[in-house]
Amino acid sequence: MTLSIILSMSTFALAASISPGPVNLVCLSSGSRYAISKGLIFVTGATLGFIVLFIAIGMGLYTALEMIPALTSLLRWGGIIFLLYLSVKLAAFDGQLPQQQPGKAPGFITGAMMQWLNPKAWLASASGIGAYTSGNDMQQLLLFAALYLPICWLSLGSWVYAGACLRRYISQPVILKTINRTLAILLVASCFYLLSE
């Protein structure tokens, strides 16, 4: 494995992880509403969930999905329902940042589960594996996953920190409500995109 391939894999992982998507939007919202440590728990779950998904796809789950089209459809509808649920939760936020502990932040399990229902994660995994690994080479797959792990965690973590900056500098309830409703609309828009495919 040459250095140029490793750098290409790393660049791909960064572009796929840091670009906006449903998980990134939840990270941003979490950072604006909860302590950074709570957001990073979600980030850790999302990162590990993605890595398990990535390796599973590399080991043949993608082939199984091609053989059973109903499974792909079930995954898509599950993802849409989950994204709509998160949209409702975001839209319902009233913009008030209580002095005491706010409601329950999205946790580790939510992060991991969300990646398995996230079409962006499936697409990034399948296209990355197809582009940068050959056949059933487990060594290449595990190297790619090892590169993805810190890059994904840091990328998602940066969205949590961006949300925390919003909380620190924009504390007016009407502004926070607007931000969360905008994020909710973006999540709903991503559902329409999924339906149109």
Side-chain angles (χ1 to χ4, degrees):
M1 182 95 26
T2 64
L3 181 61
S4 63
I5 292 291
I6 290 172
L7 290 174
S8 294
M9 285 179 170
S10 299
T11 302
F12 177 89
L14 179 62
S17 300
I18 207 163
S19 59
V23 174
N24 308 74
L25 295 177
V26 173
C27 288
L28 183 68
S29 176
S30 183
S32 71
R33 294 184 61 199
Y34 306 101
I36 289 174
S37 59
K38 299 250 184 210
L40 294 180
I41 290 170
F42 174 82
V43 165
T44 302
T47 300
L48 294 178
F50 175 78
I51 295 301
V52 171
L53 173 67
F54 186 83
I55 292 171
I57 288 175
M59 293 175 68
L61 185 56
Y62 189 67
T63 304
L65 288 172
E66 285 184 329
M67 292 170 58
I68 309 168
L71 198 56
T72 304
S73 180
L74 185 66
L75 177 73
R76 177 179 295 194
W77 280 104
I80 289 168
I81 290 166
F82 192 67
L83 291 177
L84 289 174
Y85 165 77
L86 290 172
S87 299
V88 169
K89 298 288 274 181
L90 281 171
F93 176 56
D94 64 2
Q96 298 290 335
L97 296 173
Q99 298 305 316
Q100 286 132 6
Q101 186 69 17
K104 191 175 179 188
F108 182 92
I109 298 298
T110 303
M113 194 172 79
M114 194 170 174
Q115 289 290 31
W116 281 76
L117 297 173
N118 178 10
K120 179 189 168 194
W122 285 83
L123 181 61
S125 296
S127 58
I129 289 166
Y132 294 104
T133 65
S134 54
N136 294 322
D137 190 331
M138 188 56 105
Q139 185 179 0
Q140 286 180 340
L141 179 67
L142 292 178
L143 173 64
F144 202 175
L147 290 169
Y148 235 123
L149 182 68
I151 292 170
C152 182
W153 193 90
L154 291 169
S155 297
L156 295 178
S158 69
W159 282 84
V160 172
Y161 277 94
C165 287
L166 286 175
R167 179 184 177 132
R168 191 175 304 130
Y169 298 112
I170 307 172
S171 58
Q172 297 175 14
V174 68
I175 295 174
L176 285 173
K177 186 193 287 188
T178 302
I179 289 169
N180 277 288
R181 289 191 176 166
T182 301
L183 293 173
I185 290 167
L186 290 172
L187 282 177
V188 171
S190 70
C191 290
F192 281 113
Y193 174 75
L194 292 173
L195 287 170
S196 68
E197 284 191 328

